[in-house]
Amino acid sequence: SDTFHMLEDLEDEASLHHVNSIMKALIMLNDPAILETLFHDDAMLDTIGMLEYDASFPEKQNHREILKSQICFKEVVPIERKDILSKIHQTFKISYIKDTILPIVLDDATFGTLSSIILFSNIDILQALSSDPEFMGRLFERMKEAERTSAEWK
C-alpha cells in the first residue's frame, strides 16, 4: 500500500501498470484468504486504486473518484449498526470490481467466487436487518407513510 501511494505520488506509470498486473493476478488466484485481505475495509480503496492503472486503457481510470463523489448511498430507513453499513459498502465495492472494473478479465471460477462472496454478504445483511425489530418497525412504518403512487415507491 505504501509503495503504491509512493508510485502514485511519483506518477510512475510503468510501475503502476505492473502493480495493476500484480493486483489482477492476485484476484485471479481465486484464493479466499487473499480475496478477504484485498477486500477488507482497510485495503479496499487501495485495491481499487491499483486496478485503475490498466495498461490496456489509454488513460488511468478514476474508479476511486467515482465511488467517492458520484455514487450516493441512500437509506430509506437509517441503519444504526456500523458493521452492517460497512458490509453493505464492502459488498457494493466488490460488485463494482466484478461488474465494472474486471468483467472482461475474470475467468469463470473467479467470477463465480466473487458472485458467491456478494451473495453470502447480501444474505448476512438481510439476516441482520430482518432480525432487528427496531429497524423492521421503522421500515414498515415508512412504507405505510409513503403513498404508493409517489416516487419513493419507484
Side-chain angles (χ1 to χ4, degrees), residues 64-146:
R64 290 173 291 178
E65 184 62 33
I66 290 168
L67 288 169
K68 289 178 185 175
S69 65
Q70 295 180 18
I71 305 295
C72 180
F73 177 67
K74 296 180 183 179
E75 297 172 87
V76 174
V77 175
I79 299 170
E80 304 296 329
R81 289 183 50 188
K82 300 297 180 204
D83 61 324
I84 298 303
L85 274 174
S86 176
K87 191 152 197 93
I88 290 169
H89 293 299
Q90 177 193 41
T91 304
F92 176 80
K93 290 172 186 164
I94 296 170
S95 296
Y96 186 86
I97 290 170
K98 179 180 78 73
D99 297 332
T100 305
I101 301 175
L102 296 178
I104 296 170
V105 299
L106 290 178
D107 60 20
D108 290 344
T110 307
F111 184 88
T113 299
L114 295 180
S115 295
S116 293
I117 291 170
I118 293 164
L119 173 68
F120 290 119
S121 290
N122 284 333
I123 290 170
D124 290 344
I125 293 163
L126 289 173
Q127 285 177 336
L129 292 176
S130 66
S131 66
D132 180 350
E134 289 182 29
F135 176 82
M136 295 306 286
R138 290 190 312 264
L139 176 63
F140 286 115
E141 189 60 39
R142 180 87 168 105
M143 291 172 65
K144 289 176 191 175
E145 291 173 358

